[in-house]
Amino acid sequence: EAEILLHDKQYLDAARLFARASQVSNQGQPLVRAYQAYASAGQSTEGEKLLDQWLRAHPDDSLIRHHLAQAQLNANRLKESADNYRQLVKANPGDFVAYNNLAWLLGELKSPEAIPTAEQALRLKPDNPAILDTLGWLLINSGQAQRGIEQIRKALAKAPDSPQIHWHLAAGLAKTGDKVRARQELERLFQSGLAFPQENEARKLLDSLK
């Protein structure tokens, strides 16, 4: 019934039924759908409360903790998100997704542990383009642009259609003073028509390189 309500865009009614399904089944999985329904209704905070309450009673539920950490990241509550990702990697040292997300968050929080955390993620999954991109971007922003660009190029070889990785390459090239290639990379990126979160920042950089 909750799925039908969600399909019909009756988000709040769907969210309440998903929460009830979790209570009846004593399973956390329906709370993920409850969060998604609340988020669709513009009330993601209510969904987060359900995830948080579940984790207080079931602290070892990694699935729910992953969803809560991602929800906090989406809400720009970086420290809270990082704390949850720390718990995830402590519980499962092989969780390369948690390591990668934690590395990005630590970079945003200006922590010296950001690069070592990304390097650990890469050791766990050496060919993952998202991890290569994270490490490359962290290196670029820490004054190691040439080394960072190497990682970004490896990421692009594995995910050539990723606009965010193209943006990171362009920004890295600009930091090394290679304005010509940075401009070419940005022009190709905008010609592709692909959307990415840093589009305004990228346009400002392109204007400055002309």
Side-chain angles (χ1 to χ4, degrees):
E1 186 177 354
E3 291 290 355
I4 292 169
L5 289 169
L6 186 62
H7 181 268
D8 290 342
K9 299 184 179 181
Q10 297 182 49
Y11 299 125
L12 294 178
D13 289 338
R16 295 183 188 108
L17 273 184
F18 280 126
R20 180 62 182 149
S22 175
Q23 292 173 346
V24 170
S25 64
N26 195 33
Q27 297 290 323
Q29 178 67 33
L31 295 178
V32 175
R33 300 295 279 156
Y35 168 78
Q36 292 167 344
Y38 272 122
S40 296
Q43 297 187 26
S44 57
T45 302
E46 292 301 314
E48 284 184 45
K49 287 178 183 176
L50 292 176
L51 299 177
D52 187 60
Q53 288 169 3
W54 177 264
L55 284 171
R56 291 178 190 278
H58 307 85
D60 296 331
D61 191 329
S62 61
L63 172 69
I64 298 301
R65 194 171 298 280
H66 258 288
H67 279 281
L68 179 59
Q70 184 65 52
Q72 291 166 335
L73 192 159
N74 293 343
N76 207 37
R77 296 206 307 282
L78 305 187
K79 187 177 183 305
E80 292 174 63
S81 182
D83 288 343
N84 275 305
Y85 280 121
R86 282 193 183 95
Q87 291 188 57
L88 285 164
V89 299
K90 184 178 180 180
N92 180 9
D95 190 341
F96 64 90
V97 173
Y99 265 112
N100 184 55
N101 290 354
L102 177 59
W104 184 86
L105 284 161
L106 292 174
E108 293 296 296
L109 294 168
K110 310 300 181 186
S111 168
E113 292 301 310
I115 290 174
T117 302
E119 289 172 336
Q120 176 58 24
L122 192 62
R123 280 192 286 272
L124 292 169
K125 203 75 170 176
D127 294 329
N128 185 284
I131 296 173
L132 288 163
D133 179 50
T134 297
L135 177 57
W137 188 235
L138 291 171
L139 289 167
I140 287 168
N141 288 321
S142 70
Q144 302 178 63
Q146 288 292 358
R147 186 181 164 210
I149 287 171
E150 289 176 15
Q151 301 300 322
I152 297 291
R153 289 195 185 281
K154 290 177 184 177
L156 265 182
K158 298 180 182 303
D161 296 327
S162 169
Q164 181 149 315
I165 300 177
H166 279 283
W167 153 240
H168 286 165
L169 176 59
L173 289 168
K175 286 198 174 189
T176 66
D178 193 343
K179 295 182 179 181
V180 173
R181 283 198 293 174
R183 186 177 67 249
Q184 291 172 343
E185 191 66 37
L186 287 168
E187 288 171 346
R188 279 195 296 267
L189 177 56
F190 285 120
Q191 286 169 4
S192 73
L194 296 170
F196 58 104
Q198 303 87 356
E199 191 167 338
N200 289 337
E201 190 177 350
R203 288 195 181 281
K204 288 178 183 178
L205 177 60
L206 180 58
D207 289 341
S208 73
L209 296 173
K210 290 180 178 178

